[in-house]
Amino acid sequence: MSLNKVFTFTIFLIAVFGLIMVASASGPRAQAEFGDSLHLFYRQLLGFAIGVAGFAFFYSVKLSLLRIFLFPLLLVSIALLALVFFPQLGG
């Protein structure tokens, strides 16, 4: 098995483990706040699905094409990281 596949599998395994931890740890709080013990798990699952889709997209794009959009992607990443300093955006 190639190193790339091992790395991908390891990241996927860690993410699934995180989903399991969210499901088991947040049940009572989600039940009290939202009336559904799996509400927070579903939100994490949605984020996981978006992440997997993003991974699949960027994994299939040629590296030369990514290099063309390197600077704009860097600016978008920095802007998204800056959004965490605005708590009112979180709902």
Side-chain angles (χ1 to χ4, degrees), residues 10-91:
T10 303
I11 296 299
F12 181 77
L13 193 64
I14 291 170
V16 169
F17 180 73
L19 284 173
I20 293 169
M21 292 298 105
V22 166
S24 67
S26 65
R29 178 176 177 198
Q31 181 67 37
E33 289 185 23
F34 304 106
D36 180 16
S37 63
L38 294 176
H39 178 80
L40 296 175
F41 170 73
Y42 292 145
R43 289 186 62 169
Q44 287 294 116
L45 190 61
L46 176 65
F48 177 76
I50 291 170
V52 168
F55 170 79
F57 173 75
F58 283 107
Y59 190 77
S60 64
V61 173
K62 292 190 183 293
L63 189 58
S64 60
L65 183 62
L66 286 178
R67 285 188 177 142
I68 293 171
F69 295 107
L70 177 71
F71 191 68
L73 286 173
L74 176 66
L75 292 177
V76 168
S77 298
I78 291 171
L80 289 173
L81 284 169
L83 290 178
V84 302
F85 292 112
F86 299 100
Q88 60 271 23
L89 294 176

